[in-house]
Structures are given as structure tokens and as C-alpha cells.
Amino acid sequence: GAGVSQTPSNKVTEKGKYVELRCDPISGHTALYWYRQSLGQGPEFLIYFQGTGAADDSGLPNDRFFAVRPEGSVSTLKIQRTERGDSAVYLCASSPPGRAGELFFGEGSRLTVL
Amino acid sequence: EDKVVQSPLSLVVHEGDTVTLNCSYEVTNFRSLLWYKQEKKAPTFLFMLTSSGIEKKSGRLSSILDKKELFSILNITATQTGDSAVYLCAGVRQGGSEKLVFGKGTKLTVNP
């Protein structure tokens, strides 16, 4: 497709379970970002990839969160031992070369931890 | 820690009104300020401002940056119901990480 694609759009899980959220960026976009957004808040930075490597993972809240982008395209955000506080919309965005800051966001994955 | 503060947090106006949304920032080694519109889920890019005092315009929307006073405004003239959305402001540093630091947003409601 033409836009950033995120799956699943909704995920309900139980506390303590493992979840994976997938992001397929726009073709040709080298930069990929993960953000987390809670109700009434702006997006909160989690991690940024330039190509295959995590250029900045300073926003990951703790070691239960991990993200990969093995081939420089699709990325997976992995959350272990989920907690109720992890409930949020997880937004992925990509950015074309030379246009840093101009992010193209996906529709997000809404995670609910019961 | 970098910080972006938006005001007001919410605003209700009638169609045809003009609105001004505010964004102040404290960003180390500041490079740019960006505005996004979030209607339902995915924020969409509006403007990137890097230079002080130069207005960027797109239709009824315009924005300007003041790097001395560390703020930006987003103006919307002749508002329409379709302008109802959350408007997000974000700052980004020079060099290194390209992470954007967002404010909480201003929720604009335009009533017919």
C-alpha cells in the first residue's frame, strides 16, 4: 500500500503475556519511528531506526520493550510480560531521506492489557 | 529534558472564527519545530519551521516561529467543521537522533 501499515489494529491481551506489533513503512523510507500515545497525551517517543540499526532507543521505558528492523524495512515492537500500564496506542511512522521530521504515521495498534 | 507545552489544551469555536494555537518549547540544540494534525488516529504533517520570523502558509493555515522567545503559533482562519482535530506541536534537535518531542496537543472543536 501507499501508506504506513500497522498490524494488528487492535490487540487485547492479559497481564503477563507477550505481544508483537508490526509496522510496514512506506517503501524507500529509511527512517522508522515507534511512538506510544495514551489518551489525552501527545505521542511519546520510544525508538528510532535509521536503516537496520536503532539510532536512538532512549525512549524505551524498560527492558520489557524491544524493537527490531532486521532488513531495514518492516519493524516489530516486542513487549514482554505486559502490564496494564502498557495499554496505549502504539504509533509507527516513517520518514523519507532528506526530510527528517516529516513523519508519515500509520493508524496505530491499540493495545489493551487486562 | 526537552519539553514542549501547548495552549490552550482545548478550544471550541464556531465556523468562520479565526483561531490561534500556541506552542512553547525548551529543546536543547534546537533545530526545527513541527505541527501535525490528528483527526482520528494517524497524525498528518502540516508544517516544519526552522527559521525565525518566516511564515509558512497552506490555504487557511499559517504558522510562524520565534526562536528568541522559543514559541510558535498556528493560525487557522475562517474555520470549518473539518478543522476539528487535535493539533500537535513537536520539537527536534540538531544532529544525532531525529526523535520528535511532542506536546499534549490542542483539541479544536469547530461547531457549525
Side-chain angles (χ1 to χ4, degrees):
Chain A
V4 176
S5 175
Q6 291 189 246
T7 54
S9 54
N10 277 289
K11 175 72 177 178
V12 180
T13 191
E14 293 179 344
K15 182 174 178 293
K17 299 289 189 184
Y18 169 82
V19 298
E20 288 189 353
L21 307 176
R22 175 189 163 104
C23 173
D24 196 346
I26 294 171
S27 177
H29 283 195
T30 52
L32 185 146
Y33 306 75
W34 284 98
Y35 281 82
R36 175 168 76 172
Q37 188 173 28
S38 301
L39 194 63
Q41 303 294 316
E44 173 194 7
F45 173 79
L46 295 176
I47 187 169
Y48 152 66
F49 288 90
Q50 187 61 255
T52 59
D56 185 346
D57 64 358
S58 62
L60 295 177
N62 51 59
D63 62 5
R64 296 186 298 105
F65 288 74
F66 189 69
V68 295
R69 195 186 184 198
E71 297 176 359
S73 179
V74 171
S75 176
T76 305
L77 178 66
K78 308 180 181 194
I79 310 173
Q80 298 178 320
R81 304 184 303 281
T82 51
E83 299 177 357
R84 292 195 180 88
D86 299 334
S87 297
V89 175
Y90 288 80
L91 292 167
C92 177
S94 65
S95 179
R99 286 159 67 181
E102 187 175 342
L103 271 55
F104 293 77
F105 281 87
E107 294 281 292
S109 292
R110 179 178 295 279
L111 175 65
T112 303
V113 182
L114 301 177
Chain B
E1 188 176 325
D2 294 344
K3 190 165 68 171
V4 173
V5 178
Q6 294 186 244
S7 64
L9 291 181
S10 68
L11 189 56
V12 180
V13 300
H14 291 290
E15 264 193 317
D17 288 351
T18 292
V19 297
T20 299
L21 309 183
N22 304 293
C23 175
S24 64
Y25 63 90
E26 294 175 23
V27 174
T28 303
N29 294 328
F30 173 83
R31 184 183 75 208
S32 300
L33 188 128
L34 300 104
W35 285 95
Y36 283 80
K37 178 182 181 181
Q38 188 173 28
E39 290 181 80
K40 289 179 183 175
K41 294 181 180 179
T44 54
F45 173 80
L46 293 174
F47 298 112
M48 181 187 302
L49 302 150
T50 304
S51 300
S52 218
I54 298 175
E55 184 183 57
K56 292 225 172 171
K57 199 169 168 64
S58 176
R60 295 176 295 102
L61 277 66
S62 63
S63 184
I64 198 161
L65 175 68
D66 185 327
K67 291 170 77 171
K68 183 180 175 188
E69 300 297 329
L70 307 183
F71 78 90
S72 174
I73 59 171
L74 175 69
N75 280 319
I76 309 175
T77 59
T79 51
Q80 302 172 357
T81 55
D83 295 327
S84 296
V86 173
Y87 290 84
L88 296 163
C89 168
V92 63
R93 293 186 180 189
Q94 297 205 35
S97 173
E98 297 293 337
K99 78 177 186 185
L100 273 63
V101 176
F102 283 89
K104 290 186 176 183
T106 293
K107 183 178 180 181
L108 174 65
T109 303
V110 182
N111 289 324

